[in-house]
Amino acid sequence: MTKQEQIDELQEQLVEADITPELRKTATQLVMGDGSLDADVVFIGEAPGRNEDEQGVPFVGAAGKFLNEMLGVAGMERRDVYITNIVKYRPPNNRDPLPDEKKAFWPYLLKQLQIIKPKIIVTLGRHSMEYFLPGMYISKIHGEPKRIKFGDDSIVIVPLYHPAAALYNGGLRETLLDDFSRIPEIIKKI
């Protein structure tokens, strides 16, 4: 099976399993991910927002525009990376995903990553970071690559602030741009 067929099958399994019926009822659609399934880098956010829910593509709102800008600063294009979220349905009123919701989607995210086989995972915000780097604080480790055990292998995790954080706190904009600009060097060192 091709990677696309595997992702399509995984998406079907997710819909059929109906692991978060309350989220499904309030969302327009499941938002699986977007980009290259052969990407070296996978970006993982928390959950779709309103625009993402409407369009079926992650990071297309204001935070997505800033993400695209940061990709450009790092010499990358959206089509060359893969972008997804832990939770695949939009939480009502754009609230943070609940722990049980993140836990329900976690095995599917892991399968997604096993299909794509990226060199690094960039977590966008604390919700995705905490699953890979439990007990860590994003304010202390943002931009620092961390190698962790991942199945039978290991993988590099680069925790970053969520792009939306820079929209609400202008001081984080430069931090995020600086952290982002180091991603190509991190990839080269792997």
Side-chain angles (χ1 to χ4, degrees):
M1 263 202 292
T2 67
K3 286 184 177 185
Q4 186 61 59
E5 290 168 337
Q6 292 175 68
I7 289 290
D8 291 345
E9 183 177 282
L10 182 61
Q11 183 169 340
E12 285 176 31
Q13 291 170 7
L14 246 172
V15 170
E16 287 173 15
D18 200 19
I19 57 173
T20 55
E22 295 306 313
L23 281 184
R24 179 192 42 77
K25 286 176 190 169
T26 61
T28 304
Q29 61 189 311
L30 184 113
V31 180
M32 194 68 177
D34 181 50
S36 171
L37 295 177
D38 295 315
D40 288 339
V41 183
V42 170
F43 292 90
I44 303 173
E46 56 188 48
R50 188 187 78 242
N51 293 315
E52 292 78 8
D53 184 44
E54 290 170 358
Q55 296 180 42
V57 179
F59 285 90
V60 292
K65 286 184 177 83
F66 185 44
L67 176 62
N68 292 343
E69 179 185 333
M70 290 186 293
L71 285 168
V73 165
M76 295 183 273
E77 293 186 37
R78 193 174 171 112
R79 69 173 182 247
D80 299 324
V81 300
Y82 191 81
I83 304 167
T84 191
N85 288 296
I86 289 184
V87 173
K88 312 294 187 196
Y89 286 117
R90 176 187 181 218
N93 303 314
N94 274 359
R95 69 159 165 74
D96 286 345
L98 301 174
D100 284 351
E101 293 165 349
K102 291 185 284 187
K103 185 178 178 183
F105 280 100
W106 180 247
Y108 295 92
L109 176 65
L110 292 180
K111 287 178 189 170
Q112 212 174 359
L113 294 170
Q114 289 164 348
I115 292 166
I116 298 167
K117 296 180 176 49
K119 290 183 180 175
I120 71 168
I121 294 170
V122 178
T123 59
L124 299 170
R126 64 183 169 84
H127 289 283
S128 56
M129 182 200 75
E130 70 189 3
Y131 269 83
F132 293 98
L133 303 168
M136 301 280 192
Y137 294 95
I138 198 160
S139 59
K140 294 183 177 160
I141 64 167
H142 66 87
E144 298 176 14
K146 307 283 183 198
R147 186 170 292 279
I148 64 163
K149 186 99 172 107
F150 189 73
D152 294 333
D153 290 319
S154 64
I155 193 157
V156 173
I157 306 294
V158 180
L160 298 183
Y161 286 106
H162 194 285
L167 301 178
Y168 302 114
N169 178 350
L172 287 179
R173 182 179 171 81
E174 203 57 43
T175 300
L176 253 170
L177 287 166
D178 289 345
D179 287 350
F180 232 89
S181 68
R182 292 198 298 271
I183 293 172
E185 267 311 302
I186 294 168
I187 295 169
K188 285 180 190 170
K189 291 180 181 177
I190 296 175

